[in-house]
Amino acid sequence: CALIGLGLEADNQVLAAQLKQFGLQENVLLLGQRSDVSALMNALDLHVLPSRAEAFPNVVAEAMACGVPCVATDVGDAAAIVASYGWLVPPQNPQALAQAIEQALNQLGSTALKQRVEGGRQHIQQTFSLSAMSKAYQRLWRKLTLAKPAVSGLRVLMVVNNPAFFLSHRLSIALAAQKAGFDVHIATPYDRDVNTIRRYGLTHHTVQLTRSGMNPLVEGLGIWRLWRLFRRVRPDIVHAVTIKPVLYGGLAARLARVPSFVAAISGLGYLFTRPKQGANWGRRLAVMLYRLALRHPRCCVIFQNTADRDLLLDAQAVRQSQAVLIKGSGVDLQQFQAVPEPQPPITVVMAARLLADKGVREFAQAARYSLQNHDGICWRLAGSPDPGNPGSIAEQELTSWHEEGVLEWVGECHDVASFYQQAHIVVLPSYREGLPKSLIEAAACGRAVVTTDVPGCRDAIWPDKSGLLVPLADAQALCQAVKQLANDTAQRQQMGHQGRRLAEAEFDVQHIIKQHLRVYQRLTTDATKP
């Protein structure tokens, strides 16, 4: 073990005495200030920084750039640097520090650690290299010189629990706000999609929030992290998207005295989709948290459907004056274009996160009925499991459906427009939604839809005009509705035509963007009134 750094020479005698007291004088080298940092870093097996306070712990980035695994305390920007490539522990916690060091040392030489270290090195190169920093400064200077006077200096911080969700559902809004002159910042947990966010010229902040779980200490830490972020970034508006950012972000925004708060309710989640059981304490707790989070003095709550809005209005979690209805995150009508149907066989598709409450098992069971009836319909499923969600479908179950020939599981789909354009019918048997992006994208592609008669899903179609509604969790009814459309070409194609009209009338992304910008402008205008 070696201690290296400026100031150690003056404290050598004190440190030596302490090491002797604990019998560690033979195990620790006191090297003092050194100039050969690169050589020293490359000689290490593990780098440790147990700092109590840092802004940007550059030494951690240097160690990772040298391919050295790191253990650091969660202070300053350590989380953004280390992310998932090292070990983060709370400051002033020797026990947690020792456990992390032991875990790291036990993995030395393993393939898993080598992959982790290499990922960290690439992360540093892409994010914190000299060239990356130079580009970041150029973007900052460009913003400062091109900002529009109407909103000059106004900062929006968008908080989302999943970088991929931000890119698919909120990127267009963030870029439009930036173009309008807002200083747009994005806060998400760190993964590889963060680099894509930064390439769009958006300022990113890493904030660790759990995807699931209700451990009070862990969840309290999430609120504290958001409070700390808000105090540091000083946004004029916090725009929180998805459940935990809304709940925890609303509480943190009140504590940090953020001037304005926007809560985007994109669905009420697992607690509101599962059947009621007994006293249902989880749902009661969620309603209480919504009441606390949405009592910000200058708050706008965006709903995607009237059912979610009315539920929180009835629970007195939202005031009527706060509620705004904006139907989803919109669809790019140029990217998702209506094209003629492909040649038979009739192909039925579903693209979604592969969760039980998305109706994935009902889709698979309907496909099984179809196979047993020998009707020649091809069923295709796109998406990947989500291990961070308690309702995720296991990969083994997905593989078994594929191998049995019940359906074709194609994995993650990166060209959803083409996926729908190569199909005849799009299905989403979800249990509840905010307003499902998959259905409005299907409508834009001119495809007939079959979905469940539940909040969100029913709001995404014109029932019996652009699609059919079926009862919740009824695979037999789902199969029958698909068979009806498969056997009636005229009805199916007429529904596809109506779906395109619906997308143009209500879901054009440009219209959705304007509605969001009006919310921002209203809040910031109200903030300047005496």
Side-chain angles (χ1 to χ4, degrees):
C1 178
L3 288 172
I4 309 167
L6 179 64
L8 285 178
E9 297 90 337
D11 296 326
N12 265 356
Q13 291 183 352
V14 177
L15 289 169
Q18 291 176 337
L19 293 171
K20 187 175 182 180
Q21 178 184 350
F22 292 105
L24 298 173
Q25 65 272 25
E26 301 297 329
N27 302 85
V28 179
L29 299 176
L30 301 176
L31 299 184
Q33 184 178 8
R34 298 288 292 263
S35 58
D36 51 343
V37 177
S38 177
L40 288 169
M41 289 293 187
N42 280 287
L44 298 179
D45 294 303
L46 179 67
H47 180 269
V48 180
L49 182 68
S51 180
R52 297 184 182 185
E54 294 282 342
F56 184 89
N58 196 59
V59 67
V60 177
E62 291 173 343
M64 291 177 65
C66 292
V68 178
C70 288
V71 175
T73 44
D74 189 4
V75 297
D77 286 326
I81 300 171
V82 175
S84 57
Y85 305 110
W87 287 262
L88 281 175
V89 299
Q92 302 185 62
N93 190 331
Q95 184 177 3
L97 181 67
Q99 290 174 349
I101 291 172
E102 184 177 1
Q103 290 176 11
L105 293 177
N106 287 339
Q107 292 187 34
L108 288 179
S110 68
T111 302
L113 184 60
K114 289 178 181 177
Q115 292 175 345
R116 196 172 190 172
V117 167
E118 180 55 31
R121 179 175 165 79
Q122 292 178 8
H123 165 52
I124 295 299
Q125 183 176 4
Q126 294 172 357
T127 311
F128 301 114
S129 65
L130 184 60
S131 61
M133 291 294 100
S134 175
K135 290 177 182 177
Y137 274 108
Q138 289 175 13
R139 288 195 298 267
L140 174 61
W141 295 335
R142 196 176 299 118
K143 281 184 191 176
L144 292 173
T145 56
L146 297 180
K148 294 184 179 180
V151 292
S152 177
L154 293 179
R155 178 169 295 167
V156 176
L157 174 59
M158 196 174 287
V159 184
V160 188
N161 208 16
N162 186 329
F165 184 89
F166 166 77
L167 289 171
S168 61
H169 288 71
R170 293 295 185 276
L171 175 63
S172 58
I173 295 167
L175 293 177
Q178 185 183 60
K179 186 176 180 180
F182 287 93
D183 179 17
V184 182
H185 292 235
I186 312 300
T188 72
Y190 187 88
D191 68 17
R192 61 186 180 183
D193 288 317
V194 166
N195 293 324
T196 303
I197 294 173
R198 288 175 172 143
R199 281 197 289 272
Y200 279 102
L202 298 166
T203 303
H204 181 270
H205 305 272
T206 296
V207 60
Q208 297 302 120
L209 296 173
T210 59
R211 294 283 308 282
S212 59
M214 290 298 292
N215 182 309
L217 293 177
V218 175
E219 303 311 306
L221 182 61
I223 296 171
W224 175 77
R225 284 170 172 159
L226 287 171
W227 172 84
R228 184 178 62 174
L229 176 67
F230 297 166
R231 295 288 292 175
R232 178 163 56 88
V233 176
R234 298 287 183 180
D236 297 282
I237 301 172
V238 166
H239 183 169
V241 183
T242 65
I243 296 169
K244 283 197 175 180
V246 166
L247 295 177
Y248 301 169
L251 292 171
R254 291 179 65 188
L255 293 171
R257 299 183 182 277
V258 173
S260 301
F261 181 67
V262 177
I265 308 293
S266 55
L268 291 177
Y270 177 70
L271 289 173
F272 292 87
T273 58
R274 69 182 183 184
K276 293 184 178 180
Q277 298 175 349
N280 213 337
W281 293 108
R283 192 175 304 187
R284 290 187 180 183
L285 175 61
V287 169
M288 183 185 74
L289 288 173
Y290 274 117
R291 287 175 182 166
L292 291 172
L294 301 178
R295 282 183 183 170
H296 189 287
R298 190 173 291 107
C299 173
C300 178
V301 186
I302 298 174
F303 292 94
Q304 297 188 347
N305 64 68
T306 56
D308 288 348
R309 180 196 62 191
D310 294 345
L311 192 155
L312 290 188
L313 284 172
D314 292 342
Q316 297 182 330
V318 178
R319 301 186 302 274
Q320 186 73 51
S321 59
Q322 293 177 299
V324 175
L325 185 65
I326 299 179
K327 289 194 171 184
S329 51
V331 59
D332 186 338
L333 297 176
Q334 297 301 314
Q335 180 184 359
F336 290 82
Q337 296 189 359
V339 298
E341 288 184 346
Q343 295 298 311
I346 297 297
T347 300
V348 181
V349 301
M350 175 178 175
R353 289 187 299 152
L354 300 185
L355 309 177
D357 59 11
K358 293 293 184 183
V360 176
R361 289 195 176 95
E362 285 78 7
F363 181 84
Q365 185 59 46
R368 192 181 297 278
Y369 290 146
S370 175
L371 181 66
Q372 292 169 351
N373 293 333
H374 306 288
D375 53 26
I377 298 174
C378 175
W379 298 68
R380 304 183 75 204
L381 177 64
S384 57
D386 184 359
N389 191 300
S392 180
I393 306 295
E395 186 171 347
Q396 183 179 0
E397 189 172 4
L398 295 163
T399 303
S400 69
W401 295 334
H402 184 88
E403 292 177 346
E404 287 178 50
V406 172
L407 53 78
E408 181 186 359
W409 176 39
V410 301
E412 196 69 34
C413 180
H414 299 288
D415 187 356
V416 178
S418 177
F419 185 65
Y420 288 156
Q421 289 164 350
Q422 293 169 17
H424 298 78
I425 303 166
V426 176
V427 169
L428 182 68
S430 180
Y431 292 10
R432 188 185 184 107
E433 294 282 334
L435 194 133
K437 192 174 180 69
S438 61
L439 294 188
I440 64 176
E441 290 173 342
C445 289
R447 293 298 176 259
V449 163
V450 178
T451 190
T452 37
D453 189 6
V454 298
C457 292
R458 70 169 76 102
D459 298 89
I461 71 168
W462 283 333
D464 297 324
K465 289 181 65 178
S466 69
L468 300 176
L469 293 173
V470 298
L472 175 65
D474 191 336
Q476 188 71 55
L478 179 64
C479 183
Q480 288 299 321
V482 167
K483 189 174 181 179
Q484 174 185 329
L485 293 179
N487 292 334
D488 191 335
T489 301
Q491 182 189 28
R492 187 179 69 245
Q493 292 182 351
Q494 177 60 21
M495 282 189 167
H497 175 70
Q498 291 296 325
R500 179 67 188 189
R501 286 187 57 215
L502 170 62
E504 291 172 346
E506 297 189 21
F507 302 130
D508 184 353
V509 69
Q510 297 304 319
H511 177 58
I512 300 298
I513 286 170
K514 289 177 182 176
Q515 289 179 289
H516 279 84
L517 292 182
R518 280 199 292 269
V519 168
Y520 290 172
Q521 289 161 354
R522 188 186 84 188
L523 287 173
T524 53
T525 300
D526 290 346
T528 61
K529 290 181 179 179

